[in-house]
Amino acid sequence: MSPNQMKDQKQINTSPFEIAQKQCDSCAEFLNLDPNIHAIIRVPKREIHVSIPVRMDNGAIKIFQGFRVVHNDVLGPAKGGIRFHPDETIDTVRALATWMTWKSSLLNLPLGGAKGGVICNPKELSMGELERLSRGYISSLWQFVGPEVDVPAPDVYTNPQIMAWMMDEYSKLAGKNQFGVITGKPLLLGGSLGRNDATARGGLYVLREAAKVCSLELNGASLAVQGFGNVGYHVASLASSLFGCKITAVSDSKGGIYKKEGLDPRSIHEHKLKTGSVINYPGSEAISNEELLGLDVDVICPCALENIITEKNAPRIKAAIVAEFANGPTTPGADDILYQKGVHLLPDFLCNAGGVTVSYFEMVQNFSMYYWDEKEVHERLDKKITAAYHSVLNTSKEYKINMRQAAYAVSVKRVADAIKLRGWA
Ligand code: GLU
């Protein structure tokens, strides 16, 4: 193989969109899907590229590249977050938009799938620059979003304040308040109670069900969190407060920490706020992200980015359950290895669907102008995500396929049936 071919091979293996298409293709084969429907769902419906001019604090204009991809909206308005990341690529955004379609469908939400991204490093921007970039993103593509069209939300390195600026910008352009254009907003501006920790909480409801199936007692069970960001922090703190799990390791992009007796998530969070990382946390042992994956723990929770569990490290995983709170953390080759090892995998678009589910509740509350209490949000989330877990589990048992394939089978079938009913194919 020439160096160029090797480079191509590498790109194919790690391209999230290639992976998303591969997963879609094998599901289409399994479902014996109409080739016309398969052709529709393996590509995004719409893709927008924008160049956003932003006035920087030094007076100069800097151009940022942004994307918004709608993968499919057959079931309802497209839905999905916006990422601000220096390594953002259109390929990743396409994949994430595709996974949002499967996520919404799996949870039986009347929504499609979309994702947005801006290539930028928010850590290097002042508040003013961040606000102008957020507003610039919306004004560059506002005709293509809207409460009944495509509804963005927070994702990696975006937050409720950014959602508030974006909602405000859209409302100004539309000439009226349009709270429903975006979710994950601050409470005062049409946000929903329970949205902040919804991704973590939803996945933990799934973990609770999975633990029963695996006969794992969660009280005292050991858990390792790879990626101690917003989601990772809530996973660690809720797993210990709701179920009494012991958080034995956590990591971030700079490295990881380990303590056999268990770590206190809140105190690590404070340490990270002060120092910028979980590393050097007093009383803990330093470990690498790779070492964390191989720890002798009951549950591993990848909570950060794509392609973390690979063919290389999957054989070393000792956990009984891998709960994918991140999007796309496991490569297809690693999937097969985990299945053969008997690891109970909670696939991403099931395990992290709590965020979009409560976003959907936020949309419902915005449309009706009536706001629910937190208990109602938690109960409704529990009901929806628990039902989704059991439909995936039953499908996996019935057809003897792994949990990811089963999740695909349930959600792709729903989208395919809707395409047929609407007469698109
Ligand atoms: N960004 C989250 C996700 O990937 C939430 C999306 C949403 O709330 O629309 O699921």
Side-chain angles (χ1 to χ4, degrees):
M1 214 186 263
S2 74
N4 263 348
Q5 280 170 324
M6 270 161 72
K7 200 170 139 229
D8 284 345
Q9 188 65 32
K10 190 161 174 267
Q11 271 167 2
I12 286 167
N13 289 340
T14 55
S15 146
F17 187 56
E18 296 264 357
I19 291 173
Q21 284 193 314
K22 209 170 153 189
Q23 290 163 339
C24 176
D25 293 345
S26 61
C27 179
E29 198 184 320
F30 172 75
L31 291 175
N32 203 5
L33 211 61
D34 174 341
N36 295 321
I37 295 180
H38 181 200
I40 291 175
I41 62 169
R42 79 187 302 279
V43 287
K45 171 174 172 159
R46 177 168 74 226
E47 190 169 301
I48 299 166
H49 294 232
V50 289
S51 303
I52 312 162
V54 175
R55 188 169 298 281
M56 306 303 279
D57 290 347
N58 65 7
I61 296 284
K62 187 170 171 188
I63 306 294
F64 291 88
Q65 292 303 308
F67 315 110
R68 184 73 186 168
V69 175
V70 168
H71 172 256
N72 189 281
D73 60 358
V74 73
L75 288 169
K79 188 82 193 81
I82 300 169
R83 314 201 316 168
F84 280 3
H85 200 278
D87 301 330
E88 193 59 282
T89 65
I90 183 63
D91 181 274
T92 311
V93 179
R94 281 182 193 132
L96 292 163
T98 310
W99 289 323
M100 283 308 300
T101 300
W102 311 138
K103 200 183 293 192
S104 301
S105 167
L106 183 63
L107 270 285
N108 217 350
L109 307 176
L111 299 171
K115 193 68 92 176
V118 177
I119 306 173
C120 68
N121 188 349
K123 289 179 190 164
E124 287 170 3
L125 299 175
S126 70
M127 276 295 264
E129 290 166 344
L130 194 61
E131 174 173 355
R132 293 191 288 281
L133 174 61
S134 305
R135 290 185 183 276
Y137 177 79
I138 288 298
S139 62
S140 308
L141 46 68
W142 75 283
Q143 292 96 335
F144 300 96
V145 295
E148 286 157 334
V149 183
D150 175 13
V151 182
D155 206 293
V156 175
Y157 294 151
T158 51
N159 57 35
Q161 175 62 77
I162 292 175
M163 299 304 111
W165 289 326
M166 290 184 170
M167 180 278 288
D168 183 70
E169 189 65 20
Y170 182 85
S171 294
K172 279 182 184 156
L173 291 161
K176 56 187 170 188
N177 271 341
Q178 289 277 274
F179 285 3
V181 67
I182 210 157
T183 59
K185 300 179 291 293
L187 280 182
L188 202 54
L189 296 174
S192 174
L193 285 166
R195 178 63 184 84
N196 196 27
D197 64 10
T199 304
R201 184 177 288 272
L204 290 172
Y205 291 150
V206 174
L207 176 62
R208 178 196 63 207
E209 297 304 302
K212 288 181 208 159
V213 172
C214 300
S215 306
L216 171 71
E217 173 56 72
L218 280 180
N219 193 358
S222 52
L223 205 125
V225 173
Q226 192 275 332
F228 197 76
N230 184 40
V231 173
Y233 162 63
H234 286 300
V235 167
S237 91
L238 285 174
S240 84
S241 67
L242 292 177
F243 307 138
C245 293
K246 193 168 69 174
I247 314 302
T248 42
V250 304
S251 68
D252 60 26
S253 55
K254 300 212 174 86
I257 52 173
Y258 172 77
K259 190 172 176 186
K260 195 163 184 266
E261 300 75 38
L263 296 153
D264 172 17
R266 199 171 293 259
S267 146
I268 300 167
H269 183 60
E270 276 158 24
H271 172 80
K272 184 167 176 167
L273 284 179
K274 266 190 246 144
T275 65
S277 172
V278 300
I279 58 171
N280 300 325
Y281 178 73
S284 71
E285 213 177 288
I287 54 167
S288 66
N289 268 290
E290 278 296 308
E291 282 165 342
L292 179 143
L293 296 175
L295 286 177
D296 191 6
V297 288
D298 297 309
V299 186
I300 289 185
C301 305
C303 296
L305 297 171
E306 310 83 39
N307 297 328
I308 299 299
I309 303 180
T310 61
E311 275 163 80
K312 243 171 138 186
N313 57 33
R316 287 192 284 109
I317 288 190
K318 298 191 186 77
I321 298 175
V322 170
E324 294 182 336
F325 288 86
N327 287 311
T330 309
T331 63
D335 253 353
D336 295 338
I337 298 170
L338 296 183
Y339 187 53
Q340 280 152 20
K341 281 166 69 91
V343 175
H344 191 48
L345 180 97
L346 307 178
D348 51 2
F349 62 96
L350 167 66
C351 189
N352 69 28
V356 71
T357 304
V358 177
S359 274
Y360 162 61
F361 297 159
E362 185 173 330
M363 288 172 73
V364 172
Q365 293 170 83
N366 292 155
F367 278 126
S368 67
M369 298 262 285
Y370 181 78
Y371 289 84
W372 310 344
D373 62 29
E374 199 162 35
K375 187 164 168 274
E376 181 161 3
V377 173
H378 291 168
E379 282 168 4
R380 286 179 188 266
L381 168 63
D382 196 348
K383 201 167 159 194
K384 274 215 164 283
I385 209 157
T386 299
Y389 170 76
H390 286 288
S391 68
V392 172
L393 182 69
N394 292 341
T395 306
S396 132
K397 281 186 183 155
E398 186 176 339
Y399 297 101
K400 298 195 171 35
I401 50 180
N402 71 35
M403 289 289 281
R404 192 185 315 282
Q405 289 163 332
Y408 265 100
V410 174
S411 61
V412 171
K413 171 140 191 353
R414 219 168 253 152
V415 170
D417 287 351
I419 288 178
K420 205 180 271 169
L421 281 169
R422 287 182 69 156
W424 289 6

